[in-house]
Amino acid sequence: MNKYTFREFEEVSYDEWKRLAGKALKGKCVESLEQKTYEDIVIKPLYTKHNQAFVRPKLLQENKDGIAQELSALTPEEANAAVKRAIAHGQSILHLVVDEATRQGEDSNEKTKKGIPLSCKQDIESVLQGVDIENHPIFLYAGYHAVPLIGMIASIYPNTSDMKGIVGADPLGHMAETGHMPVTFGACYDAMKEAISWSRKKAPGLRTIFVRTDAYHQAGANSVQELAVALATGAEYMREGIKRGLNPVHIAQQMMFSLCVDTQLFTEIAKLRAARVLWKKIAEMFGAQGDIHMHIRTSGRTKTKYDPHVNLLRATTEAFSAVIGGADTLHVSVYNEALCNNDENGERWARNIQHILRGESHLTKVLDPAGGSYYIETLTKEIAERAWQLFCRIEQAGGMSIVLKDGWLHKEIAKVAEQRKTDVLLSHKKIIGTNVYINHNETSKLLTETVQVNRLMALQAYKAGRHATVLLPTCDVEACITAFKNGATIGEVTASWATQGEKMKALPVMRDAEDIERLREAAERHKVVRGSRPIAALVKMGEGELPFYVVSLLTACGFSVESQEVQADIRLVYGSEAMHKKTAIAYTALVGVKANEYERCIQHPADLLTFLEDFYQMQEVAL
């Protein structure tokens, strides 16, 4: 029986393909099909075996316990209900998201509106009440310092050797996200040493370093920047641990890397594959094994307030790239994440995306499914090379803590973020339901303030019920366990260690759709106050064309657009004679021409946004 292997077909050279493609393009050159990514990588229209790079990460065995959906609530009791729902629906890893106060080492208060408040032993007991903690690993990001939360959680375990998962610190990521912490980097690294030493002796199944790139991704970083930052952060933690006498093998074993993936499917697959290759190289340079545990989170930056159910499709695409890229564990964003309005349906749908990818599509049963793709392997190589160059540049500058403090990294990420925003305004980057295929009958799910549980009164009652004076511990896990068992709170424990601390400028948080959404919500408020959506009149004077982005951007921002002089709220005048037209409408801008002192000039999409913002301020409509 003959087996056909396509060898019976004559091989076509790249040059022959290029000639035929040029003919099909009717005069356009093949290079016109090339596209440039945010990483400044040129994507070619065709990749062949001559491009193949053979960048192969270590092949992974099937991971049956990789579902690590984030579990969040406003009270420990609500968190307990969420934990039990997750377990009932097939989730074994308990990924607890604590509130900002807990991550700052403070007793929870009314300021925070998101996350589980863990102030004392009673709180973690309430969260895990009725849960078989020995068979459910815990994932928890502790902020800049993991020792207090390790001590709190360990205080409820009869045998700490049963602790599994991660209760991890990332002081560099914490500083990038918040801009401040009450202790120095040196004190954080001392605490990191204590956590590693304790876990190796008392809880060998527990990791204590959580390298997270959330802050950089949410600020707009591209894949190369995000990967380089993760590598540089891991390298700094390795160096600081070795300085303090730790074995590099033990430090590497304690690390988990958490990266984010957005909707750029192939780029994200390549980024994750490159991460395994590069971390292996770095770990071996320190004398450690090169294995990496990658936890992946689907992007919050790509999610929208309008048409939120489309976020299910975005999250599915992102989850697919995470699994194909080799994620060990995965969190899929809920569809209404941008509205900060989580519900049981959202949790269930997000979790079911993972069940479908794993249980119905069987993606995790294929080892390195992207291997052999000329395009993905070439892209992996390019991302790896660029990330390595940026990593070396960060190292030459003194490491992550230095580039965060001097603001250089902020500026580099801000350039990419600005390009993302411009692409959305120009519709070069299409966001379904926001700048294309808009449902104008939809209104934003504007949220009222969430009613907060009075945590202060609850904590006061807890402290009043203590029977003994609480002795505050040193930065020692065993001492923390004893303190929490005796009734200490996390704020009391951390306050005893606080010093002058560290301060720097935090990275901003952005979403791709936020500029348009903000103005569309203002248009809705205008309709409530004035009785109709705001109207924009487009007036042509002389020769010339209106810039292509104006109508689509006005429409996306909630305006009704008229192409004639009508009773309008704003007017945009364009054409060769625009400068000579006297304005009859109070709020007018000239498009594409220089404005006089009484008029606004729009030369760029950002100018149009500013013009609309000023209009709403004049109308006293909140943005």
Side-chain angles (χ1 to χ4, degrees):
M1 181 177 178
N2 293 327
K3 292 184 178 180
Y4 295 101
T5 60
F6 295 102
R7 291 177 182 172
E8 65 272 21
F9 296 102
E10 183 180 347
E11 184 174 346
V12 178
S13 69
Y14 179 79
D15 289 338
E16 177 64 12
W17 173 86
K18 189 174 180 180
R19 185 185 68 79
L20 293 172
K23 185 177 179 181
L25 289 171
K26 298 179 180 179
K28 291 184 180 179
C29 63
V30 172
E31 286 71 20
S32 66
L33 299 176
E34 295 179 347
Q35 294 182 329
K36 186 175 285 190
T37 70
Y38 290 114
E39 295 76 22
D40 208 30
I41 295 171
V42 176
I43 303 300
K44 300 176 181 179
L46 179 68
Y47 289 81
T48 70
K49 63 183 180 181
H50 301 293
N51 303 114
Q52 196 167 11
F54 292 103
V55 179
R56 290 288 172 84
K58 178 182 176 181
L59 298 181
L60 301 173
Q61 298 300 315
E62 180 185 359
N63 185 352
K64 297 180 180 179
D65 298 316
I67 299 176
Q69 290 297 118
E70 294 174 3
L71 304 172
S72 183
L74 294 176
T75 68
E77 293 73 24
E78 290 179 8
N80 180 251
V83 165
K84 290 179 177 177
R85 283 196 305 270
I87 293 172
H89 288 88
Q91 181 173 335
S92 61
I93 297 170
L94 307 182
H95 189 171
L96 306 179
V97 179
V98 298
D99 67 358
E100 182 182 349
T102 303
R103 293 195 302 273
Q104 289 284 2
E106 301 171 358
D107 291 336
S108 296
N109 51 54
E110 273 72 34
K111 293 180 181 179
T112 54
K113 302 175 183 179
K114 186 178 180 181
I116 305 168
L118 295 182
S119 296
C120 57
K121 178 173 178 279
Q122 179 177 286
D123 288 339
I124 191 63
E125 286 175 333
S126 296
V127 172
L128 299 176
Q129 183 180 14
V131 175
D132 182 5
I133 55 178
E134 295 179 4
N135 292 312
H136 290 285
I138 291 176
F139 276 27
L140 191 150
Y141 167 55
Y144 61 89
H145 204 318
V147 169
L149 280 169
I150 291 173
M152 183 192 297
I153 295 171
S155 71
I156 71 170
Y157 275 81
N159 187 348
T160 57
S161 64
D162 292 326
M163 293 179 70
K164 299 179 182 66
I166 180 168
V167 179
D170 181 10
L172 290 167
H174 178 89
M175 282 295 288
E177 183 177 7
T178 67
H180 61 92
M181 59 186 183
V183 296
T184 63
F185 279 120
C188 289
Y189 298 145
D190 291 340
M192 199 173 277
K193 175 192 175 184
E194 164 62 18
I196 291 171
S197 301
W198 180 86
S199 67
R200 280 190 52 76
K201 294 176 183 177
K202 299 296 183 70
L206 185 71
R207 298 174 189 255
T208 59
I209 303 174
F210 209 160
V211 178
R212 299 167 76 250
T213 62
D214 297 50
Y216 313 98
H217 179 90
Q218 292 296 108
N222 63 35
S223 294
V224 166
Q225 291 169 332
E226 185 181 351
L227 180 51
V229 161
L231 298 172
T233 299
E236 181 152 333
Y237 294 160
M238 290 289 289
R239 258 194 316 273
E240 294 296 333
I242 292 169
K243 283 181 186 177
R244 288 161 174 78
L246 292 173
N247 186 322
V249 173
H250 299 161
I251 303 169
Q253 289 171 345
Q254 288 281 305
M255 284 191 191
M256 181 183 293
F257 286 77
S258 175
L259 296 103
C260 300
V261 290
D262 66 18
T263 51
Q264 301 302 306
L265 180 73
F266 299 109
T267 300
E268 297 300 344
I269 293 172
K271 177 181 74 179
L272 301 188
R273 298 178 85 248
R276 291 195 181 278
V277 174
L278 295 182
W279 179 247
K280 177 179 172 63
K281 182 176 181 178
I282 292 170
E284 290 176 350
M285 288 169 62
F286 281 108
Q289 295 175 344
D291 294 344
I292 179 176
H293 182 111
M294 284 198 302
H295 172 71
I296 307 301
R297 189 191 196 286
T298 59
S299 177
R301 195 192 66 235
T302 60
K303 305 306 179 289
T304 62
K305 290 182 178 181
Y306 288 93
D307 221 344
H309 289 92
V310 176
N311 291 329
L312 287 167
L313 307 178
R314 296 186 180 102
T316 301
T317 300
E318 293 164 352
F320 178 85
S321 63
V323 175
I324 297 298
D328 293 291
T329 52
L330 173 64
H331 163 79
V332 177
S333 307
V334 294
Y335 78 100
N336 50 4
E337 181 179 40
L339 294 167
C340 302
N341 187 23
N342 201 4
D343 57 42
E344 290 186 30
N345 278 335
E347 292 175 4
R348 183 169 56 84
W349 295 338
R351 190 180 297 110
N352 284 347
I353 288 172
Q354 295 211 50
H355 283 310
I356 290 170
L357 293 178
R358 294 171 181 275
E360 294 187 16
S361 300
H362 306 296
L363 293 184
T364 56
K365 293 185 180 296
V366 182
L367 297 181
D368 192 22
S373 163
Y374 303 146
Y375 171 39
I376 293 178
E377 290 205 357
T378 302
L379 190 56
T380 300
K381 181 175 182 292
E382 291 197 55
I383 288 177
E385 289 175 346
R386 290 169 184 266
W388 184 257
Q389 291 170 1
L390 183 55
F391 163 74
C392 292
R393 188 176 174 188
I394 292 171
E395 290 290 283
Q396 290 165 3
M400 273 299 296
S401 57
I402 300 300
V403 299
L404 281 175
K405 286 179 179 179
D406 68 18
W408 168 77
L409 184 60
H410 294 62
K411 294 175 184 176
E412 292 298 304
I413 293 174
K415 293 175 186 176
V416 182
E418 188 61 33
Q419 185 59 53
R420 291 186 190 278
K421 291 182 177 182
T422 299
D423 286 349
V424 171
L425 299 182
L426 291 171
S427 293
H428 291 164
K429 178 176 178 60
K430 293 177 172 56
I431 303 178
I432 308 302
T434 298
N435 64 357
V436 292
Y437 310 121
I438 303 165
N439 178 7
H440 292 290
N441 295 322
E442 180 189 17
T443 57
S444 173
K445 312 298 186 294
L446 300 177
L447 299 179
T448 57
E449 289 294 315
T450 306
V451 178
Q452 298 295 305
V453 175
N454 194 329
R455 291 289 300 166
L456 290 178
M457 291 181 62
L459 280 172
Q460 288 169 358
Y462 174 78
K463 291 177 181 179
R466 296 184 296 200
H467 299 296
T469 302
V470 176
L471 298 176
L472 299 180
T474 57
C475 186
D476 177 276
V477 176
E478 288 296 328
C480 283
I481 293 172
T482 301
F484 282 114
K485 285 182 176 179
N486 289 335
T489 66
I490 195 169
E492 293 170 336
V493 168
T494 307
S496 64
W497 309 333
T499 59
Q500 186 175 356
E502 302 273 4
K503 287 187 177 180
M504 55 163 269
K505 183 180 179 182
L507 287 167
V509 177
M510 68 165 285
R511 283 185 305 105
D512 294 341
E514 65 184 359
D515 287 340
I516 291 176
E517 288 175 345
R518 184 175 68 255
L519 289 165
R520 186 169 167 186
E521 287 177 347
E524 290 178 18
R525 295 187 183 96
H526 183 280
K527 183 176 180 179
V528 171
V529 174
R530 311 291 182 186
S532 64
R533 291 165 57 192
I535 299 173
L538 306 179
V539 181
K540 182 176 181 179
M541 301 297 299
E543 300 299 320
E545 297 297 327
L546 188 69
F548 72 93
Y549 60 81
V550 172
V551 174
S552 60
L553 187 51
L554 284 170
T555 303
C557 291
F559 276 75
S560 296
V561 180
E562 301 290 343
S563 58
Q564 55 187 340
E565 295 228 36
V566 295
Q567 188 65 36
D569 297 286
I570 65 172
R571 185 175 64 167
L572 302 180
V573 182
Y574 65 100
S576 58
E577 302 297 321
M579 284 293 295
H580 308 296
K581 175 69 176 178
K582 292 185 178 180
T583 175
I585 299 175
Y587 220 69
T588 300
L590 303 183
V591 182
V593 296
K594 187 176 179 180
N596 60 38
E597 60 182 312
Y598 302 108
E599 295 170 317
R600 300 294 298 271
C601 177
I602 295 172
Q603 303 278 9
H604 186 273
D607 298 332
L608 181 54
L609 284 194
T610 302
F611 175 69
L612 299 181
E613 289 168 353
D614 291 348
F615 162 72
Y616 284 124
Q617 288 181 3
M618 185 185 72
Q619 295 289 313
E620 298 182 351
V621 175
L623 286 168

